[in-house]
Amino acid sequence: MVKNGSEILVEALVEQGVDTIFGYPGGAVLNIYDALYKNSDRIRHILTAHEQGAAHAADGYARATGKVGVCLATSGPGATNLVTGIATAYMDSIPMVAITGNVGTSLIGRDSFQEVYIAGITMPITKHNFVVRHVEELADTIRNAFRIAASGRPGPVLIDIPKDVTSAECEYIPAPKVEVHETYDVTTEQLETVAGMIAQAERPIIYYGGGVETANAGAALLELMRRADIPSAHTMMAIGCIPDTEPLSLGLVGMHGTVSAAWAVERSDLLICIGARFSDRVATNPRRFAPKAKIIHIDIDAAEINKNIGVDYSVVSDAENFLQALLPYVKEAKHEAWRAQIAEWHKTLDYVPKDDDSVIHPHQLLRTLYDMIGDDAIVATDVGQHQLWSAQYNRCRKVRHFLTSGGLGTMGFGYGAAMGAQVAFPEKTVVHITGDGSFHMNLNELCTSVTYNLPIITIIMNNNVLGNVRQWQTMFYEKRYSQTNLYRKTDYIKLADAFGGRGFRVTNIAELRAALADALERTGPVLIDCCIDKDERVLPMIPAGGTVDDIVAD
């Protein structure tokens, strides 16, 4: 079949199982959009308000489904507007393919209108990127991009296509979908060594991260924990891998994790890290992290081994393959004294905030929210205090149901991610939790949800400050609140109405319940403006560079 480049692009995307693209048109991608118009029954296109929203939506779609998300933008500013979203996906190892148009090949390098070298710009924040110079290369380039995005440690791939390539013709030869079936050569010696270290430990703990979610290894991890009686603590990227009701789960670890998890890491004699990278938000002081423990590191990416923390033993493997191979070597064990010690820390040291139904405290807001939305709801957050509270008090019991920007910490991520999740799962309740600072970053995407009738419920924790930065200014800068008091007069009720949605303002828990009940009955987007005090703090907290001895818990 002879087809032009735009038609080949569509065919290759359909080959890879793509059913949805998030994007924004422009001159360099006019041919592609014409092909999408003719194939609208095969691929749904979601027109966002801004290209960054398209990138975050593709990212959220990928996080919620486990499939490769796809976004599309024109050349120049369209392409550069994707950069933050691409970097967000890269830092959190999210499979995504970003497609950009460019000026014709004869115009490249001439500072032509809306020309930019997007391949060079995105080189540090992609697993790989391609510039397609000949239409004959296009189909295989698409296939390779999907293979690279989904294989190994997942991540974003960029494909830049000059306009003349989208109109040039060549023979198109169909091919089957690229299937990624990877195995890792974990040796008997490695399994026996790890099992032996587990058997010898008296105070073991497992610290796990997003690699467990990516590999769908939650069930295998839980089996290991129960068989060997090992407590675990998780990063923000692993929320939902193990139900929060599990007695062996210590909750969040790191800067804003539970005190009992911090002390368990501090006093452990064996720390098993699975699918995590010892980031500075977990290992706040790398020289003092798990100081008495032997450390085993299991990671799919060999570059992460000994990068942030020196370890005693390591295995390069994905979490599921490793855990399934390890389980037959691990014997039943009990660590009753160790668990009793952790239970005592939990009882006496863990932070317990106070209730007051006459106002809205973040922990009560989140408790009320989870009581009403059920276990199958997907929660997407922005970045700031609301994100950290959402991680601390989450009741997410399913994998891929908590979507947040962990590595890059991207304010404005949440609404786009919520759109991607809602498009992927129209039957599910999707809640977007944000702060007033983050919401202003990408509130323009509310019009997208109205256009496509996406019933996203946005919870705005509105304290009229940049809460997380202000908290640091309170604690470490003698309350010099430089540019963190917002003084904004945004009326979110009027804003929602202007965009075509529905808005509520609530000041106590009873009003919150009533607004949520109404929102859950609606078929379009809703904003709930929740007034919280500007001096609410995220506690506990280990200051940057600090250790368990420096925890602030009141």
Side-chain angles (χ1 to χ4, degrees):
M1 295 179 286
V2 174
K3 294 182 177 291
N4 67 34
S6 299
E7 294 166 336
I8 290 171
L9 172 62
V10 170
E11 293 296 336
L13 291 174
V14 171
E15 263 182 21
Q16 301 311 312
V18 175
D19 54 22
T20 305
I21 293 177
F22 303 88
Y24 204 97
V29 288
L30 277 174
N31 295 329
I32 295 173
Y33 271 87
D34 191 52
L36 287 171
Y37 181 90
K38 296 173 183 176
N39 289 275
S40 58
D41 59 329
R42 304 168 75 195
I43 296 180
R44 184 186 188 191
H45 181 277
I46 303 294
L47 175 65
T48 57
H50 189 281
E51 291 90 353
Q52 184 175 334
H56 292 326
D59 180 324
Y61 180 95
R63 291 180 198 243
T65 62
K67 300 194 294 186
V68 178
V70 182
C71 57
L72 171 63
T74 193
S75 61
T80 57
N81 283 343
L82 294 178
V83 168
T84 297
I86 293 171
T88 301
Y90 181 76
M91 287 289 282
D92 288 344
S93 303
I94 305 302
M96 186 168 81
V97 170
I99 301 166
T100 55
N102 213 330
V103 300
T105 53
S106 63
L107 297 174
I108 289 175
R110 298 175 180 270
D111 293 331
S112 302
F113 177 67
Q114 291 193 331
E115 179 195 359
V116 73
Y117 181 38
I118 193 62
I121 290 170
T122 59
M123 191 174 294
I125 55 168
T126 52
K127 281 189 73 177
H128 194 77
N129 54 35
F130 297 91
V131 178
V132 182
R133 292 301 185 105
H134 304 284
V135 69
E136 292 82 5
E137 303 168 356
L138 182 57
D140 281 343
T141 298
I142 301 295
R143 294 161 188 151
N144 283 332
F146 275 79
R147 176 184 55 78
I148 293 168
S151 61
R153 180 178 181 173
V157 176
L158 180 126
I159 307 170
D160 192 45
I161 312 174
K163 188 171 183 180
D164 55 321
V165 174
T166 68
S167 60
E169 294 184 339
C170 74
E171 184 77 14
Y172 166 69
I173 301 173
K177 179 182 178 180
V178 172
E179 299 289 351
V180 177
H181 298 294
E182 294 178 303
T183 57
Y184 293 84
D185 295 325
V186 181
T187 67
T188 300
E189 180 184 358
Q190 288 174 318
L191 297 170
E192 289 176 344
T193 299
V194 172
M197 294 173 75
I198 291 173
Q200 293 170 14
E202 296 180 356
R203 301 182 307 280
I205 186 168
I206 293 170
Y207 145 55
Y208 66 95
V212 172
E213 177 178 89
T214 299
N216 295 313
L221 174 59
L222 190 56
E223 186 175 347
L224 171 63
M225 289 165 54
R226 289 173 174 172
R227 181 178 300 180
D229 197 31
I230 305 177
S232 74
H234 60 76
T235 70
M236 194 182 299
M237 300 309 300
I239 288 173
C241 290
I242 290 175
D244 68 313
T245 52
E246 170 55 44
L248 285 165
S249 177
L250 307 183
L252 196 67
V253 67
M255 179 174 283
H256 293 289
T258 64
V259 178
S260 53
W263 276 107
V265 170
E266 173 78 9
R267 297 293 178 84
S268 64
D269 63 358
L270 178 68
L271 184 138
I272 307 167
C273 175
I274 305 175
R277 57 189 176 87
F278 297 98
S279 82
D280 59 303
R281 285 301 186 261
V282 172
T284 48
N285 185 332
R287 290 175 301 211
R288 286 287 311 279
F289 189 74
K292 304 176 188 217
K294 292 182 178 179
I295 299 176
I296 300 171
H297 193 181
I298 314 302
D299 203 279
I300 199 169
D301 185 355
E304 292 294 347
I305 308 295
N306 292 311
K307 185 176 83 174
N308 295 326
I309 293 282
V311 302
D312 296 281
Y313 198 74
S314 63
V315 179
V316 176
S317 172
D318 78 306
E320 175 70 3
N321 271 294
F322 172 77
L323 288 168
Q324 291 293 354
L326 177 67
L327 283 168
Y329 292 83
V330 175
K331 298 177 181 179
E332 295 273 351
K334 291 293 179 186
H335 301 101
E336 293 174 356
W338 176 228
R339 289 188 60 190
Q341 174 63 82
I342 293 173
E344 180 65 18
W345 288 329
H346 172 66
K347 180 180 178 181
T348 60
L349 298 179
D350 275 345
Y351 176 71
V352 180
K354 296 179 181 178
D355 289 356
D356 182 353
D357 283 0
S358 68
V359 295
I360 297 180
H361 289 311
H363 72 281
Q364 288 180 274
L365 183 159
L366 291 158
R367 181 194 304 157
T368 303
L369 175 67
Y370 275 102
D371 283 345
M372 296 186 69
I373 63 176
D375 291 346
D376 203 36
I378 297 174
V379 171
T381 84
D382 274 299
V383 171
Q385 284 182 312
H386 67 275
Q387 174 197 36
L388 301 170
W389 286 317
S390 298
Q392 289 177 326
Y393 301 114
N394 85 87
R395 289 220 307 263
C396 185
R397 292 165 186 171
K398 293 186 177 180
V399 72
R400 301 191 179 280
H401 280 57
F402 186 83
L403 318 179
T404 197
S405 171
L408 198 64
T410 306
M411 294 175 70
F413 164 81
Y415 206 91
M419 291 193 306
Q422 190 73 84
V423 168
F425 297 106
E427 75 287 356
K428 290 182 184 285
T429 298
V430 175
V431 178
H432 166 224
I433 301 175
T434 187
D436 50 319
S438 280
F439 186 60
H440 274 90
M441 291 276 187
N442 272 331
L443 59 79
N444 52 340
E445 292 302 341
L446 179 57
C447 72
T448 307
S449 286
V450 170
T451 299
Y452 293 96
N453 210 34
L454 305 178
I456 296 167
I457 301 171
T458 294
I459 305 289
I460 304 171
M461 293 194 190
N462 183 6
N463 53 11
N464 209 27
V465 296
L466 298 178
N468 210 33
V469 184
R470 190 179 191 276
Q471 176 171 329
W472 282 61
Q473 290 172 335
T474 299
M475 298 173 70
F476 309 117
Y477 292 86
E478 299 178 337
K479 299 184 178 181
R480 292 187 294 273
Y481 298 125
S482 177
Q483 303 304 316
T484 49
N485 291 311
L486 296 177
Y487 304 114
R488 288 175 179 156
K489 307 299 181 185
T490 305
D491 185 327
Y492 296 104
I493 312 304
K494 292 180 179 178
L495 180 75
D497 182 65
F499 274 97
R502 180 78 165 92
F504 299 90
R505 182 173 296 109
V506 299
T507 59
N508 58 51
I509 296 300
E511 291 174 352
L512 174 63
R513 288 194 187 99
L516 277 170
D518 191 305
L520 288 165
E521 295 297 321
R522 293 186 178 272
T523 57
V526 174
L527 303 184
I528 303 178
D529 178 11
C530 302
C531 302
I532 67 170
D533 191 274
K534 64 180 181 297
D535 290 318
E536 291 272 11
R537 290 190 295 166
V538 182
L539 295 175
M541 177 180 180
I542 301 176
T547 70
V548 66
D549 296 319
D550 304 305
I551 287 179
V552 179
D554 56 33

